[in-house]
Amino acid sequence: MKVTKAEIVISAVKPEQYPNDPWPHFALAGRSNVGKSSFINKMLNRKNLARTSSKPGKTQTLNFYNINDIFYFVDVPGYGFAKVSKKDREAWGKMIETYLTTSENLRAVIQIVDIRHKPTEDDKLMYNFCKHYEMPVIIIATKADKIPKGKWDKHLKVIKETLNIDPNDPVVTFSSETGKGKDEAWSIIQRYM
Ligand code: GDP
């Protein structure tokens, strides 16, 4: 995918604000600090389009990025912050649920996990939540540059088993540092358009 245009069109807090054209949506989800912004920036060849490491307590919005005037990346606020209040956690859940259940254009959720670590309970909740709504999930196992190549398969196995991944859901070994997995991720995303 040659990205010639990538710009934020809206930070939506409610469904009325979602873009209402027929372009496909791909939502990006992941634990805070997992490397989601770095993934988005790498995929779009931008340095700072998605703000890295957004802190909790800020207004939680769905950020819609127009890519090449043909589809959207929808950046979902990071989850799994220990210090988030019950109220904020509920608001987050409600926002995601509303989006998953009302967006007719959502084609797949791109869920970012850290290849080094066993997925957390929050990662499992997020994955199962998508499966509950029969949404395809593309798993991106990022920060691959942080472990030796020879260990990738062992770590991928833990991720697949822990999340109990549907065999139809692709898992991509990725690194925002080296660009590993970028072409594969684009070709998979294009399959869902
Ligand atoms: P976010 O909170 O999920 O958006 O996470 P960020 O994209 O801000 O990344 C969190 C930290 O991990 C930052 O210090 C990044 O530089 C670092 N990081 C993200 N992806 C990678 C990667 O693929 N490799 C390495 N080595 N570091 C990464």
Side-chain angles (χ1 to χ4, degrees):
M1 169 74 63
K2 191 169 183 298
V3 178
T4 52
K5 180 172 183 175
E7 55 186 44
I8 187 151
V9 288
I10 185 142
S11 290
V13 291
K14 49 182 190 232
E16 298 79 63
Q17 296 173 315
Y18 303 161
N20 61 3
D21 49 55
W23 301 352
H25 296 186
F26 293 89
L28 292 117
R31 200 164 43 74
S32 300
N33 221 33
V34 71
K36 178 161 59 72
S37 311
S38 302
F39 171 81
I40 296 172
N41 290 329
K42 190 74 195 175
M43 291 295 282
L44 303 179
N45 306 319
R46 296 294 193 277
K47 281 228 149 34
N48 253 321
L49 186 67
R51 282 148 291 178
T52 45
S53 296
S54 39
K55 297 283 172 286
K58 287 205 311 195
T59 316
Q60 302 265 288
T61 57
L62 292 172
N63 293 334
F64 287 79
Y65 295 94
N66 164 353
I67 317 297
N68 289 357
D69 291 330
I70 49 174
F71 66 96
Y72 291 104
F73 264 4
V74 185
D75 192 10
V76 169
Y79 54 78
F81 252 109
K83 286 184 190 133
V84 169
S85 68
K86 189 162 174 257
K87 192 166 145 268
D88 285 346
R89 207 181 300 261
E90 281 168 6
W92 185 95
K94 202 159 184 215
M95 181 178 72
I96 301 306
E97 184 160 34
T98 304
Y99 177 61
L100 279 176
T101 54
T102 61
S103 173
E104 286 165 12
N105 300 328
L106 181 61
R107 297 286 200 272
V109 170
I110 300 172
Q111 184 175 1
I112 322 285
V113 298
D114 189 323
I115 195 168
R116 296 171 298 171
H117 308 303
K118 191 176 159 158
T120 64
E121 287 304 312
D122 288 309
D123 289 328
K124 287 198 235 177
L125 278 172
M126 183 72 217
Y127 184 77
N128 290 337
F129 194 53
C130 295
K131 292 293 102 182
H132 175 76
Y133 290 108
E134 296 176 344
M135 184 55 62
V137 178
I138 302 165
I139 297 282
I140 303 292
T142 195
K143 303 195 182 178
D145 59 285
K146 286 186 178 263
I147 56 170
K149 230 179 189 166
K151 292 193 173 169
W152 287 351
D153 279 348
K154 197 181 100 194
H155 285 249
L156 293 177
K157 189 162 175 270
V158 172
I159 290 167
K160 287 177 188 169
E161 284 173 3
T162 309
L163 293 178
N164 192 16
I165 289 183
D166 178 331
N168 295 313
D169 286 340
V171 180
V172 181
T173 308
F174 194 87
S175 167
S176 299
E177 203 64 31
T178 68
K180 156 83 189 157
K182 184 177 168 180
D183 293 344
E184 187 188 354
W186 273 128
S187 78
I188 291 169
I189 291 167
Q190 281 174 290
R191 287 212 299 262
Y192 288 96
M193 284 191 199

